[in-house]
């Protein structure tokens, strides 16, 4: 994703005044995983006996960031865990999108990253989940090993958790069926779509899923985050950057989503904004609820 540049994205006006003040409000997300482990094998009995009952693996109450190199849970495993702890819908506008699943993106999705991104990450993208908006976001957090509250906060910054959000209006780079003027702005089309504002010109094989499915939108966004987090985006050291790119920097990869650059000033401002919403847990506030 070498050309993924988001420098022209506008920060939401309602929060722009608080951007610079937010930079030091929250420390980095803990990297330690809180994943359940299976039961230990029982000792051999001295006499025949009935087998011990198998203990069910409890669904995690919270998904934390999993360090680079950790084996990630499957999408179906995450679906089971998320559905075991239901969460109510708080964005009614998303219902049709929350009940639509996605599709594969093919083997060439990560055009600028190290080859391992297409080998190990791209095949996992499928948007194969349905549920409430919060459940979709938790599923993506579980599947890609990122702290769920970071996901909640970033989705609030990007769209206020609304899959209908459109952004980055340009005169070119339009998705099929959405040429200039089709979506309501004369001579322009939205390049960014959905709950995480995935950018169509750089994610073409994820279309139309990133528009039609909340799960596909979040799945694709955090697959890109994971590719960055595990160190596959070494191109970030070949363009303007504020420090050397390396694996394991969860917040650096959040900033890269907005700026397409590594710890530059726009990236740092975006990180500060996400951290502000994380500190406030904005998704729990009364004015965020739109069921």
């Amino acid at each position: 994703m070498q050309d993924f540049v988001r420098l022209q994205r506008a920060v939401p006006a309602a929060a722009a005044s608080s951007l610079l003040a937010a930079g030091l409000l929250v420390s980095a997300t803990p990297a330690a995983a809180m994943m359940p482990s299976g039961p230990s094998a029982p000792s051999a009995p001295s006499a025949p006996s009935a087998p011990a009952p198998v203990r069910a693996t409890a669904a995690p109450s919270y998904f934390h960031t999993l360090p680079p190199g950790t084996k990630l849970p499957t999408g179906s495993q995450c679906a089971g865990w998320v559905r075991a702890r239901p969460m109510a819908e708080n964005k009614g506008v998303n219902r049709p999108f929350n009940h639509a699943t996605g599709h594969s993106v093919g083997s060439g999705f990560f055009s600028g990253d190290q080859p391992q991104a297409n080998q190990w990450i791209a095949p996992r993208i499928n948007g194969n989940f349905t549920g409430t908006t919060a459940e979709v976001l938790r599923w993506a957090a579980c599947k890609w090993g990122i702290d769920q509250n970071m996901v909640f906060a970033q989705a609030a910054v990007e769209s206020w958790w609304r899959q209908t959000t459109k952004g980055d209006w340009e005169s070119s780079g339009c998705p099929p069926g959405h040429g200039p003027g089709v979506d309501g702005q004369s001579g322009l089309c939205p390049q960014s779509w959905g709950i995480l504002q995935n950018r169509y010109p750089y994610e073409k094989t994820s279309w139309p899923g990133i528009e039609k499915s909340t799960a596909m939108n979040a799945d694709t966004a955090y697959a890109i985050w994971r590719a960055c987090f595990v160190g596959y985006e070494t191109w970030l050291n070949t363009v303007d950057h504020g420090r050397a790119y390396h694996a394991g920097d969860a917040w650096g990869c959040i900033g890269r989503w907005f700026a397409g650059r590594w710890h530059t000033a726009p990236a740092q401002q975006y990180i500060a904004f996400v951290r502000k919403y994380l500190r406030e847990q904005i998704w729990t506030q009364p004015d965020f609820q739109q069921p």
Side-chain angles (χ1 to χ4, degrees):
M1 309 296 282
Q2 185 164 355
D3 296 321
F4 192 93
V5 180
R6 305 177 72 88
L7 296 176
Q8 301 304 315
R9 296 257 322 275
V11 172
S17 62
S18 61
L19 242 178
L20 295 179
L24 299 177
L25 293 175
V26 174
S27 60
T29 303
M34 298 291 289
M35 307 298 290
S37 58
S40 301
S43 301
S46 56
S49 61
V54 176
R55 293 189 290 111
T57 301
S61 60
Y62 192 94
F63 298 113
H64 294 261
T65 299
L66 303 180
T70 304
K71 183 178 180 180
L72 298 174
T74 66
S76 59
Q77 188 174 32
C78 289
W81 286 340
V82 169
R83 289 177 178 139
R85 295 177 179 271
M87 299 184 74
E89 183 60 74
N90 68 344
K91 295 291 175 183
V93 69
N94 291 342
R95 284 190 174 91
F97 307 99
N98 291 349
H99 288 87
T101 55
H103 54 81
S104 65
V105 297
S107 60
F109 180 74
F110 291 97
S111 59
D113 294 0
Q114 295 298 304
Q116 296 95 320
N118 278 322
Q119 294 168 3
W120 304 114
I121 294 182
R124 299 182 87 235
I125 302 171
N126 55 24
N128 189 21
F129 181 77
T130 60
T132 66
T133 303
E135 290 167 356
V136 168
L137 294 175
R138 286 195 79 225
W139 173 77
C142 171
K143 183 176 177 181
W144 295 108
I146 178 172
D147 185 285
Q148 70 182 49
N149 280 359
M150 290 176 71
V151 171
F152 288 169
Q154 186 176 18
V157 169
E158 290 289 350
S159 68
W160 209 240
W161 284 24
R162 295 171 67 92
Q163 176 63 17
T164 54
T165 302
K166 303 177 181 69
D168 291 312
W169 295 80
E170 302 287 349
S171 59
S172 61
C174 308
H178 294 273
V182 170
D183 290 279
Q185 292 199 26
S186 178
L188 300 176
C189 67
Q191 290 188 350
S192 296
W193 295 81
I195 195 166
L196 269 303
Q197 288 293 275
N198 296 56
R199 196 95 183 256
Y200 167 75
Y202 310 108
E203 305 176 36
K204 288 183 178 179
T205 61
S206 67
W207 186 268
I210 56 173
E211 176 198 13
K212 297 183 181 300
S213 166
T214 313
M216 182 68 181
N217 195 280
D219 199 13
T220 306
Y222 291 105
I224 294 170
W225 177 89
R226 175 54 61 167
C228 172
F229 186 59
V230 298
Y232 294 160
E233 296 198 322
T234 52
W235 59 267
L236 285 164
N237 281 327
T238 71
V239 295
D240 183 34
H241 53 282
R243 64 185 73 163
Y245 166 72
H246 60 86
D249 185 342
W251 282 109
C253 294
I254 293 286
R256 163 259 184 269
W257 177 254
F258 175 82
R261 297 293 183 265
W262 191 248
H263 286 289
T264 56
Q268 294 300 99
Q269 291 176 347
Y270 180 77
I271 290 168
F273 198 18
V274 176
R275 281 178 158 169
K276 176 179 183 294
Y277 275 8
L278 176 59
R279 178 184 66 85
E280 295 171 349
Q281 296 206 1
I282 195 74
W283 57 92
T284 68
Q285 301 305 315
D287 64 352
F288 195 83
Q289 313 311 312
Q290 299 168 321

